[in-house]
Every structure is written in structure tokens, then in C-alpha cells.
Amino acid sequence: MAYGIRRKAPLRRKLQILRRVSGSSKQGRERFAISVALLLYIRKLKLGLAALARDYCALYATNRRLLNHAGLLKNHVTVEKVENTAPQSYEVRIWCERKGGRLVPILEALEKMGLTVLQARVSCDKLFSMEATAFATAHARALEARDVAQTILRAIENKKKEKKKKKMAIKWEE
């Protein structure tokens, strides 16, 4: 007999917790009714979560439109030539839309021009941004800051075109 009481005690505790969560104060309420009430409560929570997700997506899309309208999603490249340095050095600042694969084409473009990146800071929080210090190697020709900026912009644009070509190739394979 004592075994049966010990076995039923955890079940009673669980039912008491279910009654508290479901908001029912009646002791005589059946287990089925408690389960149905809990299922309805969980369903309401899921619907509320789905509504929050929709609101977040709408706000994110609005934010993207505003950033695009303000011109912050366009590619911005500024290159400043640092004077009074033995090898030519440049301060490079880049802002562009956050998409995958931006860093490698930029670094490759700098390398093709004969520039070595000494220090770089990259952020991909909301936009892709990069601040770098690059200096010319011994065999590099004299470069203007405008040429470096145009080369970086071309590298970013070529990356966009390559992605579009890959997408088109995938569509043709299907």
C-alpha cells in the first residue's frame, strides 16, 4: 500500500503544476481538460511567436529600404595616400552591402596591384566595412589613390557578376 502512495505522489505533484500553469483552480477537473487547456496555451504562444517573426521581417525589410534609399548600401571606397613614408602607403576604407565573399576579392585586387596589407579591421555587422593600411612592395609601380579605389570597386562588382553567372548556370543545369 505504501508503494502505491509513493508512486502516485509524483503524479499528483505534476497535476498540481499543470493546474497552476493552465489556470484551473478546480480540484476535480479531469486530466484531459488540463491537457487540452495546455495545448491551447502552447498554440497561442506559437501564434504569438509567428506574429513576432513576421513583424521582425517587416521591420528588417523597411530598414533595408531606408538604408538603400539613403545610399548606405552602395559601395563606398575611400583611399588616402599617407605622406612621409618610405614605401608608399595607403589608408583604405570600404563600405558595402553585407554579402558573402567580399574580403577575398578585395585582398586579391590589392595584391595584384602590388600592395601588401599591413593591418586590417573588418566588420560584417549590418554592412561590410573594412579599414586597412596597405603599402607598396618594392617592385610595384607608382599608384594614385584614385586607381586603387577604382580597382577595389571593380573587384567588388566582379564578385557580384560572378555570383549572378553561377546562379544562371545552376538554373540551366536544372
Side-chain angles (χ1 to χ4, degrees), residues 73 75 94-108 122 124 128-130 152-153 155-160 163:
L73 291 182
N75 301 332
I94 302 167
W95 283 15
C96 60
E97 190 174 359
R98 185 183 85 172
K99 292 202 175 171
R102 297 277 189 201
L103 183 62
V104 174
I106 293 170
L107 293 176
E108 286 175 350
V122 178
C124 294
F128 174 83
S129 64
M130 176 178 168
I152 293 171
L153 280 172
I156 293 171
E157 293 299 322
N158 286 342
K159 181 64 180 175
K160 286 182 183 177
K163 281 190 174 184

Side-chain angles (χ1 to χ4, degrees), residues 44-153:
K44 285 181 185 178
L45 289 175
K46 284 183 179 180
L47 289 173
L49 185 62
L52 285 174
R54 279 193 310 272
D55 290 346
Y56 173 77
C57 289
L59 287 173
Y60 183 76
T62 304
N63 185 22
R64 299 286 291 181
R65 278 186 295 225
L66 288 173
L67 286 174
N68 195 16
H69 182 67
L72 293 177
L73 291 182
K74 294 180 182 174
N75 301 332
H76 293 282
V77 177
T78 58
V79 179
E80 297 174 4
K81 195 172 187 179
V82 179
E83 300 296 327
N84 301 330
T85 56
Q88 290 180 340
S89 62
Y90 301 91
E91 287 290 323
V92 180
R93 289 184 188 87
I94 302 167
W95 283 15
C96 60
E97 190 174 359
R98 185 183 85 172
K99 292 202 175 171
R102 297 277 189 201
L103 183 62
V104 174
I106 293 170
L107 293 176
E108 286 175 350
L110 290 172
E111 187 178 328
K112 285 179 185 175
M113 294 181 70
L115 296 174
T116 303
V117 177
L118 180 66
Q119 179 182 0
R121 184 173 31 178
V122 178
S123 173
C124 294
D125 186 24
K126 293 183 181 174
L127 300 170
F128 174 83
S129 64
M130 176 178 168
E131 293 182 11
T133 303
F135 64 92
T137 57
H139 65 276
R141 60 183 173 85
L143 297 170
E144 292 295 321
R146 180 176 23 108
D147 297 333
V148 175
Q150 287 176 352
T151 303
I152 293 171
L153 280 172

